[in-house]
Amino acid sequence: MEKISLKLHRMLCPMPVIKVQNCVKMLPPGSQVEAICTDPGVLNDIPAWCRINGHQVLETRREGDEYIVLLQVGDEQ
Amino acid sequence: MSKQRKAVSLISGGLDSLLATKVIQEQGIHVEGINFFTGFCVEGHTHAIRKKDQSKEKRNNALWVAEKLGIKLHIIDVIEEYKPILFNPKHGYGAHLNPCLDCKIFMVKKAQEWIVENGFDFIITGEVIGQRPMSQRKETMPIIANESGADDLLLRPLCAQNLPETKAEREGWVKRDELFGFSGRSRKPQMALAKQFGFEDYAQPAGGCCFLTDATYSHKLADLWQARGHKEYEMDDIMLLKVGRHLRLSPDFKVIISREQGEGNFMQGYRKQFISLKTTSHAGPLALIDGRVSEADIELAARLIARYSQGRAEEQVELEVRQLSGETRLIKVKPMLAHEIPKAWII
Ligand code: SF4
């Protein structure tokens, strides 16, 4: 299963969401995407985007200045 | 069984597009949202940067609207494509650097391309005749429909009854008598409809949907263009125009001074692109120098920055000057007095 890590430092919302969206579009269901961001807004926005579009957030965490969201691509693409 | 019709809705994150979409959903149409990111949108940016705003809920209104409606949202990066619209709007600017009419035409045109690619039937927007002085007038409605190429595939559910019938109505995909005939600047009809649908806590942006309707922001952008001798910008420019105090000390350079810690932290990320200064003898702001500077210019900038530090009343303040290479040195200067800062410097 594919797992892709996106480094989205210094990007402010909604740019990280757009990057995640464009990456997810290319992936088969079940793949995982990890977004490593510095804008804390992603902790709201990426999960909201996932809920709307049928993807699953597996984990959100903060590591120092980084905010990390791990998601799994849903079945209905 | 009749075919399930599909519409794409331009979602700005405000109340009007929320209502327009809901009205069409209620008629059994499958709706998905589309949101265009020009770079200037009034979303999280400043909240994400300024420390004092960080306690506020940092929601993206377009996502919030889509979630309320239970629709998919496609966010599209149009940063590059938007530039020619802003540089040279055929229909001119609004009160500031907002090219609203050209912007609307551009977005509807993009939506038109999107429905063709994705097999959707028509486009909806939350426009209301007379709501906004530049782009939402009786005369501009057909201009948007024609110049975007969407023609009668563009339906405005909130004011449709005041406009000619569109294809969706003609073909019976939606019932015209269940659409609305709102017009004018009043927000009351929208608020009443929001109440009827049970929507609360929706966003009500004052001037418009982007920073270009803001006088100070537009002024800073105009200054940037003038200083560079041409209209150009990168995403970093757009963001930096939202942070700090901007003072132009000469046609060749300006100084951006952080106003609080959140901005200072954010600006640190730009120290490889700009010469930066930070007070070391006293607590004070971080500053970036945008432009070409001589030694004397750096000293002048340092005196100005010292003015905004805790050492403003002292004889001398020490600052660290950091070059793009990361090389640093210390300089000592006398802070400027308030009256030594010409008003004309402030952008
Ligand atoms: S305020 Fe005007 S220029 Fe800005 S996004 Fe809205 S329509 Fe476009």
Side-chain angles (χ1 to χ4, degrees):
Chain A
M1 192 192 49
E2 220 166 331
K3 180 172 174 183
I4 292 193
S5 191
L6 297 174
K7 197 165 179 199
L8 307 172
H9 278 191
R10 273 182 47 208
M11 275 185 197
L12 299 181
C13 284
M15 267 331 275
V17 183
I18 295 176
K19 295 285 178 195
V20 166
Q21 166 191 271
N22 296 351
C23 174
V24 163
K25 234 188 264 173
M26 316 296 293
L27 297 171
S31 316
Q32 294 188 355
V33 177
E34 180 183 51
I36 307 168
C37 313
T38 47
D39 177 358
V42 299
L43 297 183
N44 290 326
D45 290 357
I46 296 180
W49 179 82
C50 286
R51 287 195 298 275
I52 293 166
N53 292 290
H55 309 296
Q56 199 191 344
V57 174
L58 301 177
E59 190 188 357
T60 57
R61 62 179 198 278
R62 182 180 176 168
E63 274 177 25
D65 288 341
E66 292 181 333
Y67 299 85
I68 301 161
V69 182
L70 177 66
L71 64 92
Q72 181 161 320
V73 179
D75 293 334
E76 187 212 333
Q77 273 266 31
Chain B
M1 213 178 90
S2 63
K3 187 178 164 203
Q4 170 67 62
R5 295 292 166 183
K6 297 195 278 187
V8 73
S9 176
L10 265 69
I11 301 287
S12 64
L15 176 60
D16 294 355
S17 49
L18 170 68
L19 294 174
T21 311
K22 183 72 181 168
V23 167
I24 293 305
Q25 280 181 305
E26 292 281 290
Q27 296 210 24
I29 304 289
H30 170 85
V31 187
E32 296 190 12
I34 195 165
N35 174 263
F36 296 104
F37 181 60
T38 62
F40 296 99
C41 309
V42 188
E43 289 296 355
H45 289 185
T46 13
H47 288 178
I49 298 168
R50 297 194 72 162
K51 203 164 179 112
K52 74 175 177 60
D53 289 340
Q54 284 191 357
S55 51
K56 289 188 193 158
E57 198 194 343
K58 288 173 284 290
R59 81 176 185 201
N60 174 303
N61 286 317
L63 286 168
W64 182 84
V65 161
E67 196 164 18
K68 274 271 153 203
L69 293 163
I71 60 171
K72 284 193 174 180
L73 181 70
H74 309 275
I75 311 179
I76 307 205
D77 167 358
V78 291
I79 296 171
E80 286 303 319
E81 282 173 88
Y82 187 70
K83 286 180 178 178
I85 312 289
L86 178 54
F87 295 156
N88 198 8
K90 179 177 160 198
H91 298 281
Y93 296 106
H96 304 292
L97 282 179
N98 50 312
C100 290
L101 185 47
D102 290 84
C103 176
K104 269 279 151 61
I105 294 168
F106 166 74
M107 289 183 181
V108 175
K109 182 166 177 278
K110 295 290 298 175
Q112 164 67 23
E113 291 165 7
W114 192 93
I115 62 168
V116 172
E117 270 164 39
N118 293 278
F120 276 53
D121 300 293
F122 62 105
I123 303 162
I124 54 180
T125 69
E127 289 165 294
V128 169
I129 295 172
Q131 185 87 177
R132 295 208 191 274
M134 183 175 193
S135 56
Q136 299 189 26
R137 286 178 288 125
K138 185 110 189 167
E139 313 82 82
T140 61
M141 296 283 163
I143 297 178
I144 297 171
N146 296 340
E147 292 192 15
S148 63
D151 294 313
D152 70 347
L153 296 184
L154 174 59
L155 173 69
R156 287 100 165 188
L158 301 185
C159 62
Q161 289 178 354
N162 300 326
L163 292 167
E165 219 177 31
T166 65
K167 186 169 180 187
E169 298 153 277
R170 219 172 35 245
E171 299 282 333
W173 303 339
V174 299
K175 295 193 197 81
R176 185 172 169 93
D177 57 6
E178 289 177 17
L179 303 175
F180 292 86
F182 297 167
S183 73
R185 294 195 70 110
S186 167
R187 305 286 299 155
K188 286 204 184 111
Q190 284 95 318
M191 281 148 90
L193 190 57
K195 197 164 174 203
Q196 195 183 316
F197 285 135
F199 292 135
E200 288 166 13
D201 194 26
Y202 42 81
Q204 297 257 46
C209 26
C210 86
F211 275 106
L212 296 169
T213 57
D214 181 80
T216 320
Y217 189 87
S218 286
H219 187 60
K220 287 186 202 162
L221 182 59
D223 166 81
L224 183 96
W225 286 346
Q226 200 188 8
R228 292 188 182 169
H230 56 87
K231 291 182 177 179
E232 227 343 299
Y233 59 83
E234 296 304 325
M235 208 40 219
D236 279 341
D237 296 319
I238 301 182
M239 290 199 291
L240 278 175
L241 291 181
K242 291 175 194 163
V243 237
R245 284 172 226 284
H246 291 234
L247 294 104
R248 181 162 297 284
L249 278 57
S250 95
D252 289 337
F253 77 100
K254 71 170 175 179
V255 182
I256 308 169
I257 305 175
S258 68
R259 289 169 295 194
E260 42 92 280
Q261 201 194 335
E263 289 190 339
N265 294 344
F266 179 77
M267 283 162 56
Q268 287 218 7
Y270 289 90
R271 289 192 306 172
K272 287 202 177 97
Q273 282 151 273
F274 299 94
I275 295 177
S276 59
L277 285 91
K278 175 100 188 75
T279 48
T280 46
S281 56
H282 300 83
L286 176 74
L288 304 175
I289 294 185
D290 182 6
R292 270 190 320 214
V293 281
S294 65
E295 257 319 297
D297 292 335
I298 291 186
E299 191 177 322
L300 186 68
R303 290 192 57 215
L304 171 71
I305 297 155
R307 166 80 210 160
Y308 291 103
S309 78
Q310 303 269 316
R312 68 177 65 84
E314 305 291 332
E315 262 310 296
Q316 223 175 31
V317 167
E318 186 184 64
L319 298 99
E320 182 187 81
V321 183
R322 187 185 156 110
Q323 299 294 329
L324 311 190
S325 60
E327 193 186 309
T328 60
R329 67 193 158 87
L330 296 172
I331 56 170
K332 289 189 175 125
V333 295
K334 181 172 163 46
M336 265 181 198
L337 299 171
H339 70 82
E340 287 181 282
I341 305 174
K343 277 219 167 58
W345 281 4
I346 301 164
I347 312 170

